[in-house]
Amino acid sequence: MQKMSAMNRKLIQNLAETLCKQVKHFDKRETECLIRLFSGLLGEQAERRAAHGLDRVRFRNILHNTFGMTDDMMMDSVFRAFDKDNDTYISVKEWVEGLSVFLRGALDEKIKFCFDVYNLHGDGYISREEMLQMLKDSLIRQPTEEDPDEGIKDIVEIALKKMDHDHDGKVSYSDFEKTVKDENLLLEAFGNCLPDAKVEITSNYFCM
Amino acid sequence: MGLTISRAVQWSSDGDQLENSPLNNDILTEILLFTEGFEDRHPQEASIPFCEPLQWNTSLEAADFTSDIYNTRGESAVSLECDDKGRPLLQLSPPAITVHSFYHLSNLLKLSKDKKMKEVWACLEVNREPIKKIFGPISPTIHKGKLFSILHQLDEKLLSIAVRPITREGRLSPAAVNTEVDLLKRENRVLKSVHYTSDYVFSNGCRSPPWRQMEGEICSLIIETCDTEPTLFITCNTSGVFLNERINGEGVENSSMTKSEVYKDIVTLLKNQSPHFAAAADEQDFAIQDVPSAKKILHVETVDVEETGQTLKSYDHEEKNVPEKLAWNKPGSRNKKLEPSLKWKNLGLTSFYDEEEEKARRSRESKKSPGPASENKKKANFSGSSLPGCQSSQKTKSPGGADDFSESSSEDEEDEEKPERRAEIPTDLPSEYWQIQKLVKYLKGANQTATVIVLCTLRDFNLVQETCQLAIRDVGGLEVLINLLDTDDIRCNIGSLKILREISCNSLIRQTIADLGGLQTMVSILDTPVKELKCLAAETIANVAKFRRARRTVRQYGGIKRLVELLDCLPDSVSLSAEQERDADVARCGALALWSCSKSTRNKESIRQAGGIPLLARLLKSSQKNMLIPVVGTLQECASEKSYRIAIQTEGMIEDLVKNLSCDNQELQMHCASAIFKCAEDKHTRDLVRQYDGLKPLVMLLNKAENKQLLAATTGAIWKCSISLENVAKFQEYRALEILVGLLKDQPEEVLVNVVGALGECAQISENLATIRKSGGIQPLVKLLSGTNQALLVNVTKAVGACATDPENMPIIDRLDGVRLLWSLLKNPSPDVQASAAWAICPCIENAKDAGEMVRSFVGGLELIVNLLKSQNKDVLASVCAAIAKIAKDVENLAVISDHGVVPMLANLTNTVDDKLRRYLAEAIACCCMWGSNCVSFGEAGAVAPLVHYLHSKDPLVHQATARALFELSKDPNNCITMHENGVVKLLLIMIGSTDAILQEAAASCVANIRCLALANDKAKNGWFHMHMDTIVIQTL
C-alpha cells in the first residue's frame, strides 16, 4: 500500500510536470493539486468507470456545490465544453485544461469557452433556437400576455440584434467575440457558465 | 344540455371540477330528475345506444347492481343487454363504469339511491359534452331525432335555471317586463293599447321564441300611443328595451336589427318616443318612475322566487303606497341582491350573453381590442350594468337609462385602461420612449441573464440625450436600476451602474436617484472587493452628489470615509501592473466623488478627519492627468479651509501644484492656479511658490486669455502672490504688469477683480506706477470706478489710489474725473468700498493741482465725507480721518467742514484704542485746529485728555501724529492745563528723545507752549506752576 501510494505520487508528479507545460495558468504545484483532486473524485466514482474519467453527474455536482451553478442546461453545456473529445467523460487532461480557462482564463479564452458552452448544437453558430432554449426561463411570464413567450422571443431578438454584426441571423464566434470585447458584461450573455467574480477572487482555494 | 354544461355550469378555478354552488346544484338536480324519469317517460328513446359511451369513476359497487338485468362477477358487473357489436350496454369494473344508453343511466340512478347526486356529479365532471358523446360528431339521424328534441328541451330548461341569477342582477327580467306591461295596460288613458306579439308564455316567463331568448330577448310588444304616428314595435331584452324598425311576427331572425337606442325600461322608452306620454306621466307622478326601477325589479324577482303567488298582491300595494311597499320588502331584498352577484361573475353563460350583446351594440363604436383588456372590460360591464336603474332614476328627464348604462360602463372601462390610454396620447414621444418602456418592463421580470442583456441594450441608447434619460425615469426605470444595485449579482450591479452613471448627469435624474435612496446603496457598494464595481459606484456618486442634500446623504451614510479609503494606492511607480492600474483607477474615481462632495464645508472636514489629506498629497505625485484633475480639484475646493491651506503647505503640495502649472491640460492648470490663489494668502506659501519657480508659469498662463476660468484662477494666483514684494520684483522681471494692464478690458468681472488686485499690489513699488501709466492702464482703471461689483471697486479704488501717489499719474486721473468718481463711491453702501475710496482720495488731494478748488467743486462732497465720521467701521473712520486731514490743509475747505461740525465728531472718536484710527484721528485733529476756535472747541469737547494717553501707544506713527495734534492744541491755555493734569510733559519729554525729527519737533514745541503758559502765569501770579514746571524739566533732563 505504502509502495503503491509512493508510486502514485511519482506518477502524479510526472503527470503534473507534463500537464503544467501544456496549460497556461497553473504552475506545477497547482497542477499537482488539481490532479490529486481529480483522482480523489474518481475514487468516489464506481471503479468500472474510473478508467475514463469524471462522468457527467459527478462533474455537475462539482459545478453545483463548488460554483453554485443551478441551471441544468448550463451545467450540461459546461460539461460538454470541458469534454473536448466528446467521450462523455472528462479525462485528467481535460480537467486541468478546462479549469485553467474556467478559473484563470484570460478574456479571450473565456470568450471561446462561453461560446462553446452556448453553441448547443456544436455547429459553430448560436442560433435563435439555441438562444430561445437557453433563455426560456429568463423572464417571469406575465399571465396577462396572450403569448407568454412573447417577452422571451423579444429578448432573443434584442440579443441577436446586439450580437449579430454580420446580419446573418445567427451569432458566429467572431460576432460573439466582438460583442464581448465591446461589453464584457455580455460574456455570460445566455446563462451563468463561469464562476462569479467573487469566487474568482478566491479561486486559489480550489488549487490549494 | 350540451350548452348548459359547457357554459352555464360553474367550474372550479382549475377547470376540471364542478363547483359546489347553488346554481350547479339546481342544474344537476334538474338533470338528475330528467335522467331518472327518462326510462318511464320515453321508453323508446331510452334504449337508443349512445354513439360513444359515458364513462366515469363511480362509487357504486357490484353489490349495488341488484337488478336482474345485470350480471355480477366478483367486483365487476355487466348488463345482460348488449349492443349490435356484442358489447354490454353497461359495464362496471370498479371504479370505472361505462354506460351506453339512457335506459341504463336511468336504472343506474335508481340503483344508486342516496348516491344519485354524486353519480351525476362524477359523470358530468368527466363528460363535459355529453350531447356529443350521445350523438357523435355528425348530426342526429332521423330515428334519433326524437331523443335530440327531448334533450334540447332539457337544455332550455337548464338554461332558464342558469339565466335566473343573471336577471336578478338588475337587468330586465321577464317578471319585471310583465309587471310593467300590466301597469301600462291599466293606465289606458295615456296609451291607446299595449299588446304582446305572442300570447304564449314559456316556463321561464319569456314570450320570445327560444332561439331569440338565447340573445337575451324576453318579449316583443306593440304599443299604440296617443301621439306617435306608427305603432311602436318594442323588443324587451335583458339588456334593455328598444324599438324595432319592423316586425313580422316570429319570422324575424335577425335580432340585431335594433334601430333605436336602448332604454332601461318601457316607460323610459315611451317617454322619449311620445311627448304626450311623458307629459302625462310627469303630471300623474307615475308610480313607476318614483320607484327606482332596479329595486322594483329586484323585489319582484325575490317575490317571484321566494314567495310565488304574492306577486300580484305586492303590486296592488305598490300603486297605492309606494313607500310602504318598499319598506315591506326591504330586508329580504337587500340581502338577495348582494348574494347572487358573487357567483355569476365566473359564469360562462353571462360572458356569452355579454359578448353577443356587446358585439351588437358596439359594432359601430369601435373595434374591441382583444387581450388582457377584455377581461377588465367584462368586469367593467358587469359593475356598470348591475344597477343601471338606480343610476338613472334620479334624472328622469335624461335621455334614458340605457344610455346611462352604456355610458357608465364605458366610463368604467376608461378608468381601467386610463394609464395605458393616456400614455398613448402624446404622439410626439420619440420611438426610444416606447423601446425603453418595453425594456424596463422586461427588467422587472427578468432573471440575471436576461437582465444583463436588457441592461446592455439599454446602454445602446443615447443616454446623454435628455429624452432618453427622462424616459427611463418616467417609465419607472430608476426604481428598477436602483433595486438592481441591491442584488448580489455583480454583473447586474455593473450594468445598472453603467446606466446610472451616464444618466446622472441630468439634475432631475440625480434628484430622483437621491430620493429613491440610491446613494445609500452606492455607498455600501464601495465596500465590494470588485474594483470595477467600486469605480462605477464612486463615479456615479460623483455625478449625483452635485447638490447639497445628496452630499449630506453621502456623508451621513459613511460615504466620505469609504471614498477616502479608495484613494489608497501607489500612483507613481514607474511601471504599473494591471492590478495596480486598476487600483489607480479606483483611486481616481474616489477622488472624483470626493471632489463633488468637497463642495460642502462639513464634508471637507470629514475628508480631513478620514485622513484624506496625506492620500491626496500622495496622489498629487501622479503623472496621470485624469488622476490629477479630481485630486487638485478636491484640494482647491478644500483650500477654502485654513486647515487645508496649512496642510497643503506643510505636506509639500505646493511643489506639485507649481509643477503642474506647466502641464498641457488647461483644466488641471486651472485647478492648480486656483489652489495657489486660495493658499497664497499665507506669506510662507507665497515664498514657496517663488522658490519652486511658480511665478513664471503663472505669467505664462496669462497668455491663455481665451479660457476665462483659467485666466481668473491665474490672475487670482498672481494677485495673491504679488502681496510679497519679492514676488512683485519677479513679476516685473517677467513683464507681468504690461500683460495685466492689457487684461483690463473686455474681461469678465472675476478676472478683472484679480487683475486690478494684482495691479494694486504691484503698485507698492513706485517704478510700477510709471509702468502702468506707460502701458495705458490708468484710463481703464478709472473707467472701472463706475462699476458696481463691490469686490472689484475695492480693488480698483486701491489701485487708483496707488496710482495717484505718482505725481505724473495724477493729472491723468484728474483729467478723467477720477477724483469725483472716487468721491461718489463714498456713497457706496459697502463700508469696504467707502474706506477704500476714502484712502484713495488722500493721495489725490495731496497730489492734485488746485486740490482745494477741486474738492469744493464737489457739491455736497464735504458734508458727505464729514458725515462718514458717524460710521461704525474702524477702517472707514480711519480713512475718512486721513482724508479730512488732507482736506483741512485748504483753509476754505476747513471752514466748511468746521461748519458741518467736524470738531465735535472727531472729538467723539478720541476714546478709541485702535492705533490706526488714533493715528489718523490725531492727524485730522491737528489739521483741523488751524481754523477759528476749533482748537478751543476740541478742548471743550474733551478731546485733549484721551489724546495725551495716545502717547502710551507702542506705535511710533501714533506718537508723531499725536504730538503734532497736542502741539496744535497747546495753543490754547486751557488745553495746556488739561494736558498737564494728564501728565503730558513727562511723556512729551520722552518723545523729544525720539529719532523721528517731526516727532521731536512737535513734542518740543508742545512742551514749549506749555512752558510759555507757565511763564506768563508766573509773571502774573508768581505762582506754584512755574516753580513746578522748572523742577520737572530740570529733573527730566
Side-chain angles (χ1 to χ4, degrees), chain A residues 21-121:
Chain A
K21 278 172 195 155
Q22 296 165 17
V23 165
K24 243 191 208 168
H25 303 288
F26 296 124
D27 59 23
K28 190 177 168 234
R29 191 186 55 83
E30 287 167 332
T31 317
E32 217 178 299
C33 285
L34 288 175
I35 295 169
R36 220 169 272 137
L37 194 66
F38 181 80
S39 43
L41 289 163
L42 271 189
E44 292 168 39
Q45 219 166 284
E47 274 308 312
R48 189 170 50 81
R49 294 185 213 153
H52 304 285
L54 281 176
D55 66 8
R56 197 171 59 87
V57 176
R58 195 153 303 268
F59 186 73
R60 279 181 49 156
N61 278 345
I62 297 167
L63 289 180
H64 181 77
N65 297 333
T66 313
F67 299 107
M69 282 191 195
T70 47
D71 188 333
D72 287 333
M73 187 169 57
M74 274 305 137
M75 288 195 282
D76 286 346
S77 290
V78 171
F79 176 79
R80 275 195 298 94
F82 267 70
D83 181 22
K84 294 240 167 55
D85 57 4
N86 269 326
D87 65 349
T88 69
Y89 289 100
I90 289 172
S91 70
V92 68
K93 185 161 181 277
E94 286 167 344
W95 166 255
V96 175
E97 279 175 351
L99 282 178
S100 160
V101 175
F102 191 71
L103 293 172
R104 302 255 176 97
L107 184 61
D108 283 327
E109 292 171 294
K110 284 184 177 172
I111 293 173
K112 180 84 183 70
F113 174 79
C114 288
F115 186 81
D116 289 344
V117 171
Y118 299 143
N119 183 13
L120 300 178
H121 301 159

Side-chain angles (χ1 to χ4, degrees), chain B residues 605-667:
Chain B
E605 184 56 21
S606 298
I607 296 171
R608 195 182 61 80
Q609 282 170 354
I613 296 176
L615 292 171
L616 287 168
R618 197 164 72 184
L619 293 177
L620 195 56
K621 306 271 182 213
S622 163
S623 52
Q624 301 296 316
K625 287 192 186 64
N626 60 1
M627 170 76 90
L628 285 168
I629 289 170
V631 169
V632 181
T634 310
L635 283 172
Q636 68 90 14
E637 200 67 62
C638 292
S640 60
E641 302 300 299
K642 191 155 193 270
S643 54
Y644 276 88
R645 291 199 293 266
I646 294 167
I648 287 171
Q649 190 193 92
T650 54
E651 299 262 347
M653 286 188 255
I654 297 291
E655 185 180 1
D656 298 305
L657 291 173
V658 166
K659 191 182 78 194
N660 286 312
L661 280 177
S662 313
C663 74
D664 55 3
N665 181 303
Q666 294 199 355
E667 193 184 0

Side-chain angles (χ1 to χ4, degrees), chain A residues 135 137-140 144-146 150-151 154-155 158-159 162 183 185-192 197-198 201, chain B residues 371-372 438-439 441-442 444-447 449-450 452-454 456-457 459-460 488 490-491 494-495 498 529-530:
Chain A
L135 295 174
D137 294 323
S138 65
L139 265 192
I140 293 172
T144 49
E145 303 267 327
E146 294 152 274
E150 198 187 291
D154 205 14
I155 299 265
I158 286 168
K162 190 153 177 57
E183 176 50 87
L185 285 181
L186 289 170
L187 179 61
E188 294 177 77
F190 301 114
N192 181 18
K198 276 175 196 155
I201 283 164
Chain B
K438 192 181 68 181
L439 290 175
K441 193 187 86 189
Y442 289 148
K444 288 176 184 164
N447 75 354
T449 306
V452 170
I453 295 176
V454 174
C456 290
T457 313
R459 278 195 69 207
D460 289 341
D488 285 336
I490 291 164
R491 295 190 306 143
I494 290 175
K498 277 182 172 175
V530 183

Side-chain angles (χ1 to χ4, degrees), chain B residues 1 3-5 7-9 23 26-27 30 151-168 173-174 201-206 208 210 213-214 216-217 238 301 304-305 343 347 349-350 353:
Chain B
M1 182 149 82
L3 192 65
T4 316
I5 297 292
R7 300 275 199 166
V9 167
L23 178 69
D26 290 353
I27 292 172
E30 192 64 34
L151 288 177
H152 185 71
Q153 275 172 23
L154 170 69
D155 206 17
E156 267 179 20
K157 202 168 177 186
L158 295 177
L159 212 54
S160 75
I161 295 171
V163 165
R164 206 180 296 155
I166 305 163
T167 56
R168 279 184 211 165
S173 68
V201 183
F202 288 87
S203 63
N204 58 10
C206 295
S208 294
Q213 285 182 36
M214 294 296 288
E217 207 173 284
T238 50
E301 266 311 271
D304 205 25
V305 172
K343 60 179 178 189
L347 204 61
L349 185 70
T350 55
Y353 262 76

